[in-house]
Amino acid sequence: MMKKTTGYAGEIRTGVLLTAALFALFLYFNGQLPPAELLLASPYFIGLYFLTFTLGQPALFESLRRTVSTSLERALVFPVLLIVILYSYLGFHGHSPFKGSAALFPFYLLFPVLVFLAYPKGYQPIKWTDFAVYFLFLIPATSISFGVKTNLPFNGAGFSNVLRFVLILTAVYGFGTIRKLPDIGFFPTFNWRYLKTAVWVWLAFIALTALIAYVSGFLKTSGYEPLSMALIPLAVGEMVRIFFGTALFEELFLRGILQNMLARKITESGVWKTYWTWGFAVFLLLSLLTGYLMHAALLWVPVLITVLLFLAAYWIEKKSIELNGPYTALAITSIFFGLVHFHAGSLVFVGLASIAGWGYGYTYMKTKNVFYAALVHTLVNSSEFLFNLETLK
C-alpha cells in the first residue's frame, strides 16, 4: 500500500534538498580537484542524485507509470536517457563506450524494460519469468566494464559511479514502473518509527555477532578511541560512500526486488511450506558445499546458521495469522546473501553476512523502504571504523 505523500511539490523539494546536501559534501571532499574536472562532473552528480531521490517517490512514481503506459516510445525514453548520460560521461573523459562487448550495453540496458512491456497491463502475479529477468540483469551488472571506471568524479572521492547509478535507476524503472512491482520502496523519507527500527536492528546485530565473533576469535578490539573532531568528516565521508557505493545497490536488488518478489510468489502460491522445504534443502546443501570447499573443519558454521535462520522463519510463519511467505523469503535471501560473500575467504564472515542479511531484510519488511535497509547495511559496514574493531579474515 502506498505511503502517505506530500504530493509532487513535496517530493521534488525533498529531492532538491537532499541533492543539494550531497553536492555540498561532494565539493568538500573533492576540493583538491582541478576546477575543470569538478565542472564536468557536477552536472552528472546533480542529475543522477536528483533522479535517485525522486524516481521512486510515490506520487511521481504513479504519474510516471501513467505516462509511459500510453506508448512504447515513451516507455523507452528513460532508459535511452540513461544510456546517453553514461556514454557522454565516458566520451567527455576521452573514453570510447563502443569497444568490444561494451558496445552491446544499450541492448542489455533495454532488455528488462522490453520484456516487461510485453506483459499485460496492470499488476500481474509474480512469475518465474520475473526471476529469470532479474538474474539475467543482475549477474552481468556485477561484471560489466568499459575498460575504465566511471567514478564520480573520475579522479576524486565521489560517491559511487555513473554506471552503478544507471544500473540502479534502470532496475527501479524496469521492475517498478514497467513491471509494476509494488513496494520496492526506493525513496527517501523520514519516519521516526523506521529510524528506530533501523537503529535497534543494527545494535542487535552488533551485540549478537560481536559475541559470536569474539568467542570464535574472529573479532578483536584494538582499543576504543572516541571520535575526535578531525575524524568526524572522515566518518561521514566513509558512511556516505558505503551507503551510495555499496548498500543502496545491494539492498535494492536483494531486498526491494528479490525478497519482495519471492515473498509475493510464496504468498500467492498458498503453499509456503513447500517453498520453505525446498529452500531449506537447497541452501543447506549449498552451505555444506561452501563450507567444505572453503574450510572443511569449519563447515558447521554456515550450516548451523542456515538451520537456525530457516527454523526461525518456520516458527514465525506457523504463528502468523496474516500472510505466510515473507519470512520464508527472508530466510532464503539472507542465506543467499551470506553465501555470495564467500569471496571474503572466511566461513565465519559468510555466517555473519547471513545474519546481517536477515537484519537488512527484516528492516525492509518492517519499513517497506530500501533506504532504511541500506542505512542498517551502512551502519554494519561502518562498525569496524566506528568501534575501532578488527576482523580476522
Side-chain angles (χ1 to χ4, degrees):
M1 186 170 66
M2 280 295 179
K3 297 175 175 59
K4 185 176 180 181
T5 179
T6 56
Y8 300 145
E11 292 176 351
I12 291 174
R13 183 170 60 250
T14 297
V16 169
L17 291 175
L18 289 174
T19 302
L22 264 294
F23 185 59
L25 286 177
F26 173 79
L27 294 177
Y28 173 83
F29 284 106
N30 291 282
Q32 79 286 356
L33 290 180
E37 173 62 22
L38 278 179
L39 188 63
L40 182 58
S42 293
Y44 290 92
F45 184 95
I46 292 170
L48 289 169
Y49 268 97
F50 179 74
L51 288 173
T52 298
F53 292 136
T54 57
L55 180 63
Q57 290 283 5
L60 292 170
F61 205 49
E62 283 301 318
S63 177
L64 183 60
R65 279 179 174 173
R66 291 193 297 269
T67 300
V68 302
S69 66
T70 58
S71 72
L72 174 64
E73 289 79 8
R74 287 184 178 182
L76 295 178
V77 168
F78 187 72
V80 169
L81 172 64
L82 293 177
I83 294 170
V84 171
I85 289 174
L86 174 61
Y87 278 21
S88 63
Y89 189 68
L90 287 165
F92 287 149
H93 284 87
H95 303 286
S96 172
F98 302 108
K99 291 182 179 179
S101 60
L104 299 175
F105 183 79
F107 301 95
Y108 159 76
L109 204 69
L110 290 172
F111 163 69
V113 175
L114 292 173
V115 171
F116 292 141
L117 282 172
Y119 279 32
K121 291 185 177 180
Y123 174 73
Q124 301 295 315
I126 299 299
K127 308 172 183 179
W128 291 117
T129 306
D130 297 316
F131 293 96
V133 174
Y134 169 84
F135 284 107
L136 288 172
F137 184 75
L138 176 62
I139 293 173
T142 61
S143 58
I144 287 174
S145 174
F146 287 91
V148 63
K149 293 182 179 180
T150 58
N151 295 337
L152 262 174
F154 257 90
N155 301 307
F159 310 125
S160 195
N161 59 72
V162 176
L163 176 59
R164 180 151 291 195
F165 276 115
V166 166
L167 296 173
I168 288 174
L169 293 170
T170 300
V172 174
Y173 180 77
F175 284 89
T177 303
I178 306 300
R179 174 60 179 90
K180 298 180 175 61
L181 177 65
D183 293 329
I184 291 178
F186 189 80
F187 61 94
T189 183
F190 183 78
N191 183 299
W192 275 113
R193 182 166 59 87
Y194 294 174
L195 183 60
K196 286 190 290 185
T197 297
V199 172
W200 85 253
V201 167
W202 169 52
L203 293 177
F205 170 81
I206 291 298
L208 176 62
T209 57
L211 175 62
I212 295 172
Y214 188 76
V215 170
S216 67
F218 179 74
L219 187 77
K220 69 176 183 178
T221 59
S222 54
Y224 176 74
E225 298 176 4
L227 287 175
S228 66
M229 292 300 293
L231 288 176
I232 290 178
L234 294 177
V236 171
E238 183 66 14
M239 293 180 71
V240 170
R241 278 188 284 272
I242 291 172
F243 187 93
F244 291 105
T246 301
L248 196 59
F249 180 90
E250 293 186 3
E251 295 313 306
L252 167 65
F253 277 97
L254 289 169
R255 255 59 70 168
I257 298 178
L258 180 60
Q259 182 179 319
N260 185 2
M261 291 197 306
L262 190 56
R264 291 178 184 279
K265 180 67 174 176
I266 297 172
T267 300
E268 291 165 0
S269 73
V271 288
W272 70 270
K273 288 184 180 179
T274 300
Y275 283 88
W276 183 93
T277 302
W278 278 101
F280 182 48
V282 169
F283 280 97
L284 185 62
L285 179 61
L286 289 175
S287 296
L288 278 167
L289 182 61
T290 301
Y292 177 77
L293 293 175
M294 290 182 64
H295 197 311
L298 290 176
L299 67 81
W300 60 270
V301 174
V303 171
L304 176 62
I305 290 175
T306 297
V307 170
L308 291 176
L309 293 187
F310 269 93
L311 287 179
Y314 187 88
W315 182 76
I316 297 171
E317 297 280 28
K318 286 285 288 184
K319 292 179 66 69
S320 175
I321 58 175
E322 297 179 354
L323 296 178
N324 291 120
Y327 282 91
T328 300
L330 174 59
I332 291 172
T333 53
S334 298
I335 301 302
F336 174 72
F337 179 74
L339 292 180
V340 297
H341 282 78
F342 71 91
H343 58 77
S346 167
L347 280 179
V348 177
F349 191 90
V350 168
L352 293 177
S354 296
I355 297 173
W358 180 282
Y360 308 154
Y362 177 83
T363 302
Y364 166 74
M365 284 175 54
K366 293 302 180 182
T367 65
K368 289 294 186 288
N369 192 284
V370 166
F371 278 74
Y372 282 91
L375 173 61
V376 181
H377 195 148
T378 300
L379 290 170
V380 168
N381 282 19
S382 303
S383 295
E384 291 182 43
F385 175 84
L386 294 174
F387 296 126
N388 207 16
L389 304 174
E390 294 179 10
T391 54
L392 306 178
K393 300 289 179 69

